[in-house]
Amino acid sequence: GVGSVVTHRGKVLLCRRAIEPRHGYWTVPAGYLELGETPEEGARREAREEANADLELHGLLAVYTVRRLSQVQLIYRATLAGGSDADGVFSPGTESLETQLFDWDAIPWDDLAFPTVHWMLGHQRAFEAGKGVGPFGNPVGAD
């Protein structure tokens, strides 16, 4: 799978899921790769599908292994296209009930859809604080 932690003007973009699993919970734009698609193309496509957002990718943030689901997730650092001076155009796509930019202290931590979303957001904050350059991996003891 592929996805992105998308930031804009110091806030992070989250999508509230309109599909199962975890309907109604918040996540980053992410999903499965399609045949013949590069990871970067997939990350951009997922952002368009879930948040009607165009992205600028800024490198790989993390690679997670979710053994119980036989998944590998490639997660990118991204911003909304146009840079911080742009308006940051986004809206709910077909797989999202709503989309919102959250200040870090307002993220609905108890309503995040998956453990990996917690990991992604934590690793993004660590990157921003200069506590690692990535790509990050699973937290110790987590898979």
Side-chain angles (χ1 to χ4, degrees):
V2 292
S4 301
V5 176
V6 182
T7 58
H8 183 71
R9 297 181 182 164
K11 297 181 179 186
V12 64
L13 177 66
L14 295 178
C15 305
R16 197 158 68 90
R17 294 175 60 84
I19 59 172
E20 292 294 346
R22 307 292 286 164
H23 181 276
Y25 286 82
W26 293 93
T27 190
V28 300
Y32 295 109
L33 279 171
E34 294 182 357
L35 290 176
E37 188 173 56
T38 69
E40 293 86 355
E41 290 167 342
R44 287 186 186 99
R45 177 186 48 76
E46 288 293 340
R48 282 190 302 275
E49 289 177 0
E50 296 182 11
N52 292 310
D54 289 321
L55 302 184
E56 293 178 17
L57 300 181
H58 302 289
L60 196 58
L61 174 67
V63 177
Y64 302 125
T65 301
V66 184
R67 187 181 314 254
R68 67 182 179 78
L69 299 175
S70 298
Q71 285 184 1
V72 174
Q73 299 177 3
L74 303 174
I75 307 301
Y76 291 89
R77 292 180 294 105
T79 53
L80 293 172
S84 62
D85 292 335
D87 290 334
V89 177
F90 62 92
S91 63
T94 57
E95 296 181 359
S96 299
L97 297 170
E98 63 182 301
T99 53
Q100 185 174 333
L101 286 170
F102 286 93
D103 284 316
W104 285 97
D105 60 354
I107 290 172
W109 295 101
D110 292 337
D111 293 324
L112 295 179
F114 308 106
T116 53
V117 179
H118 287 269
W119 304 351
M120 294 169 201
L121 296 175
H123 285 141
Q124 177 68 27
R125 288 298 277 183
F127 177 85
E128 290 176 357
K131 297 179 181 174
V133 294
F136 296 92
N138 290 37
V140 175
D143 69 1

